[in-house]
Amino acid sequence: MSLFNLLVSKTIMHVPGPIVGLFAKGYIAGERLSDAVAVVKGLNAKGMMATIDILGEFIKKKEESAFFKDQCLDILKAIDSEQLDANLSLKPTQMGLELDKDLAFKNIREIVALAASYNNFVRIDMEDHPCTDDTLEFFRRLREEFPGHVGVVLQSYLRRTPDDIDNLSDGPLNFRLCKGIYNEPRQIAYKDMAIINRSFVCCLEQMFDKKAYVGIATHDEKLVFEAEQLVRKYGLKREDYEFQMLLGVDMELRDLLVERGHRLRIYVPYGKSWLPYSKRRLKENPSIAKHALKQMLGMKRF
């Protein structure tokens, strides 16, 4: 890790919000849904898909879940009315998972039902390990009622992920595979980045072997290379998988993927709860700060 990346990783959680905001501008669409719609239109014009996310998680009051549910419904309505090439990502804890599991499922089900009526799709994000079992249960229940309209996220740093892939293989599989960003105990998650990367490749191959549709979520060109080898090995067509990246991160690699004929989906977050998201992303991937510095010097976000 470079000295710059090490400094960012070690200090970002203590940096004042206004300074973090300077770095966050490049990979947060804005505070309003209209900001996200504008960003998605720009991405679509470049041949890229999107997934829209309203920022916020781990709510403290049940009443807050109604706000986030309504925001998600509004996102789906906007995607339909604006004819965007986009879908929705949501977090179970913003739907109330830690407060009332039944309420959270009811909220998510209502959102997935609307997505299905629009022939759209909802990705249920994965959070820290206490949420894993309930999140996978939600996916299992909803994929049976709304097949083809819901997917889930699995993380390569969790030791359990290969077993989760196997256990879910009794039905249609639609995954986003990422490394994972939460600070989990060693008993739960690998800590060595070389092992996490190797696990990513092994999990991706296991998913392809199970005929899963996978959103390959990485900015690591080593993993992009490995994924391309597996795509060739399994003879996958363009519509059988996609790559996924964060808004504003490594636009050169993003463009290369599109030029090479891959489908690419960009994660477009918006909302007022940008600070914890931004700090976590910068801690996980300090190189984002370098990209942000370039944007602050005049480069475009799209």
Side-chain angles (χ1 to χ4, degrees):
M1 180 180 287
S2 70
L3 178 59
F4 178 86
N5 285 7
L6 182 62
L7 287 172
V8 171
S9 179
K10 295 296 185 182
T11 64
I12 191 60
M13 302 311 287
H14 306 290
V15 174
I19 296 176
V20 176
L22 294 175
F23 290 94
K25 287 181 180 178
Y27 58 99
I28 305 292
E31 291 193 355
R32 300 171 299 177
L33 175 55
S34 59
D35 298 322
V37 169
V39 169
V40 173
K41 286 182 177 179
L43 294 169
N44 287 173
K46 294 180 177 292
M48 302 172 192
M49 307 175 292
T51 186
I52 302 177
D53 172 71
I54 170 67
L55 292 171
E57 56 194 317
F58 301 109
I59 62 172
K60 303 300 182 183
K61 299 178 181 179
K62 291 182 181 180
E63 294 75 17
E64 295 178 83
S65 71
F67 167 80
F68 284 109
K69 180 191 73 172
D70 290 343
Q71 286 287 302
C72 288
L73 295 174
D74 286 345
I75 290 169
L76 291 169
K77 292 171 185 175
I79 291 171
D80 186 68
S81 64
E82 298 288 344
Q83 297 184 315
L84 304 177
D85 190 353
N87 59 33
L88 170 69
S89 292
L90 62 80
K91 297 176 179 64
T93 62
Q94 69 184 183
M95 298 295 146
L97 177 59
E98 290 192 319
L99 305 175
D100 185 330
K101 179 179 173 180
D102 290 337
L103 173 65
F105 179 79
K106 180 181 177 183
N107 286 336
I108 296 173
R109 185 195 174 281
E110 182 177 345
I111 294 164
V112 176
L114 182 64
S117 74
Y118 288 143
N119 195 29
N120 207 330
F121 180 88
V122 174
R123 177 74 63 188
I124 305 175
D125 283 334
M126 188 60 71
E127 300 173 274
D128 59 0
H129 77 272
C131 302
T132 303
D133 286 335
D134 289 336
T135 301
L136 295 182
E137 178 191 333
F138 288 179
F139 168 63
R140 180 183 289 279
R141 293 169 64 183
L142 290 167
R143 74 177 177 181
E144 295 193 7
E145 187 175 4
F146 304 102
H149 298 288
V150 64
V152 75
V153 178
L154 293 179
Q155 302 161 318
S156 73
Y157 75 159
L158 291 187
R159 297 175 184 272
R160 61 176 286 171
T161 295
D163 291 332
D164 288 332
I165 298 169
D166 282 339
N167 292 336
L168 289 167
S169 294
D170 57 348
L173 301 177
N174 191 308
F175 297 127
R176 175 195 295 147
L177 177 64
C178 64
K179 292 182 182 181
I181 62 172
Y182 294 89
N183 185 20
E184 302 285 19
R186 189 179 181 188
Q187 291 81 0
I188 300 292
Y190 300 116
K191 296 296 184 178
D192 184 279
M193 188 53 67
I195 296 176
I196 293 170
N197 287 348
R198 180 60 182 149
S199 175
F200 189 102
V201 176
C202 291
C203 289
L204 181 58
E205 181 159 22
Q206 184 183 0
M207 289 173 177
F208 283 161
D209 190 58
K210 300 287 188 181
K211 311 298 183 185
Y213 183 92
V214 187
I216 307 163
T218 183
H219 311 98
D220 187 334
E221 194 165 6
K222 297 185 294 296
L223 294 182
V224 169
F225 172 82
E226 296 288 355
E228 287 186 312
Q229 307 315 303
L230 290 175
V231 166
R232 292 190 186 96
K233 176 180 177 179
Y234 284 87
L236 300 181
K237 299 178 182 178
R238 186 173 183 270
E239 62 271 18
D240 293 335
Y241 66 96
E242 63 188 51
F243 283 94
Q244 297 185 356
M245 297 179 69
L246 297 174
L247 178 67
V249 180
D250 202 341
M251 281 79 81
E252 185 175 31
L253 178 58
R254 182 184 77 178
D255 293 341
L256 282 169
L257 286 168
V258 174
E259 290 169 8
R260 290 176 62 80
H262 299 295
R263 300 204 311 154
L264 176 67
R265 189 177 304 277
I266 303 299
Y267 185 86
V268 179
Y270 80 95
K272 295 183 178 180
S273 300
W274 56 267
L275 184 58
Y277 170 86
S278 300
K279 286 189 173 184
R280 193 170 65 246
R281 286 297 182 188
L282 286 164
K283 182 176 176 63
E284 172 215 9
N285 189 357
S287 62
I288 290 175
K290 289 185 178 179
H291 295 296
L293 280 173
K294 292 179 181 178
Q295 292 157 9
M296 291 160 61
L297 293 173
M299 292 183 64
K300 292 183 179 179
R301 163 170 52 197
F302 298 165

